[in-house]
Amino acid sequence: MNAASIGYTSLAGKRMIQIQNCYLEAVFVTADGTYVGGEDEEGLKNYVVVKQSVEPNTEIKVTYKKDEEGNEYDNLTDWQSIEKIDLLVKKVGDVDPQVDLVTTTPTPDKYTQYVRSYVGKNLYSAGYISLGGNLMDAYGQGYVQLNPVAEDGSYIDTTDETVLKQYVITGQNVEPNTEIEYVFRKKDDGTEYDNLVESQSISAITLNVKSISGQPVVSTKDSGSSAS
């Protein structure tokens, strides 16, 4: 499919695919790590999908939130077994890239998540910039901080999306599909909160990255000049 025909752009600038009452985030991956964003409708028209990390007809399991009487809401999901799908894209007319995509194990319940594969992705595509200026990725009801380390030792300003878009991920210190276990906070009556994680077995992942251009990357936030 043409990349522009897939899903829609959310208010957060992510490309989302609606499947009944659940939503999948589509993460576009290129052979050289160039950033392809879901917010650029015209730019997406130049790309076609050649591989996907989740096979067609894969089952997505969903549980729904409940009201005070224990009845399920029709459209408020509490957990879903798959949250993201990686889509390998190429420019229309180009030869198919020889790149494999790693499939992340679907989660069995809200207490268990599995580390995603980040290698080959553009750094900005790996997650989102939090209000605190950290690069984060959402895993169910929890979050993992992504700590990029440049191969040449350059400082990476995680608050600057222009900088993040100029790096490709070459390695990660936690293997894909490593299990992340959650413990949820409890109310005074002993029941669990739906969305408050008290502890998790993995809270941060180090990502090895390199400049896509091979040149040093400079943050432009203070200088106002264009990045290298």
Side-chain angles (χ1 to χ4, degrees):
M1 296 176 66
N2 184 276
S5 65
I6 297 171
Y8 67 95
T9 302
S10 69
L11 293 176
K14 304 292 186 181
R15 200 70 179 182
M16 305 301 296
I17 303 171
Q18 183 175 2
I19 302 177
Q20 294 186 349
N21 290 324
C22 68
Y23 298 84
L24 291 182
E25 181 183 341
V27 180
F28 297 110
V29 182
T30 57
D32 64 355
T34 300
Y35 176 71
V36 176
E39 72 278 11
D40 184 3
E41 291 283 346
E42 289 303 312
L44 288 177
K45 293 178 182 178
N46 297 318
Y47 290 91
V48 60
V49 178
V50 294
K51 285 184 182 179
Q52 58 190 68
S53 63
V54 180
E55 289 296 319
N57 296 316
T58 297
E59 181 181 54
I60 302 176
K61 297 180 179 180
V62 178
T63 60
Y64 290 88
K65 293 183 178 180
K66 297 180 179 180
D67 60 24
E68 294 179 353
E69 298 178 352
N71 300 313
E72 289 185 342
Y73 288 102
D74 294 331
N75 58 354
L76 295 179
T77 58
D78 180 47
W79 160 86
Q80 60 190 63
S81 59
I82 301 173
E83 296 181 320
K84 290 189 178 185
I85 179 171
D86 295 337
L87 301 177
L88 179 65
V89 297
K90 67 170 186 178
K91 286 193 173 181
V92 175
D94 283 358
V95 177
D96 286 5
Q98 300 303 307
V99 176
D100 293 326
L101 296 177
V102 177
T103 300
T104 303
T105 303
T107 66
D109 50 51
K110 72 174 186 177
Y111 303 98
T112 307
Q113 296 287 324
Y114 292 93
V115 172
R116 300 185 178 106
S117 175
Y118 295 99
V119 174
K121 292 180 181 177
N122 183 275
L123 182 55
Y124 187 64
S125 299
Y128 66 95
I129 301 172
S130 71
L131 293 176
N134 297 312
L135 185 62
M136 309 292 293
D137 197 9
Y139 280 80
Q141 300 295 343
Y143 304 88
V144 170
Q145 182 170 327
L146 305 177
N147 299 317
V149 177
E151 65 175 16
D152 64 356
S154 297
Y155 171 72
I156 300 176
D157 184 356
T158 56
T159 69
D160 190 339
E161 66 178 68
T162 301
V163 168
L164 298 180
K165 290 176 182 177
Q166 296 181 71
Y167 284 99
V168 59
I169 300 169
T170 58
Q172 57 191 83
N173 74 326
V174 182
E175 288 296 317
N177 292 312
T178 298
E179 186 176 88
I180 305 174
E181 296 179 346
Y182 286 165
V183 174
F184 285 80
R185 293 183 183 179
K186 293 184 178 181
K187 304 175 185 177
D188 291 339
D189 62 4
T191 59
E192 291 179 340
Y193 285 100
D194 293 331
N195 59 353
L196 295 180
V197 175
E198 183 176 81
S199 65
Q200 57 192 76
S201 58
I202 297 174
S203 59
I205 298 172
T206 298
L207 301 177
N208 300 106
V209 301
K210 69 176 181 178
S211 167
I212 296 173
S213 67
Q215 300 297 318
V217 178
V218 180
S219 177
T220 62
K221 280 196 167 186
D222 297 327
S223 64
S225 59
S226 59
S228 301

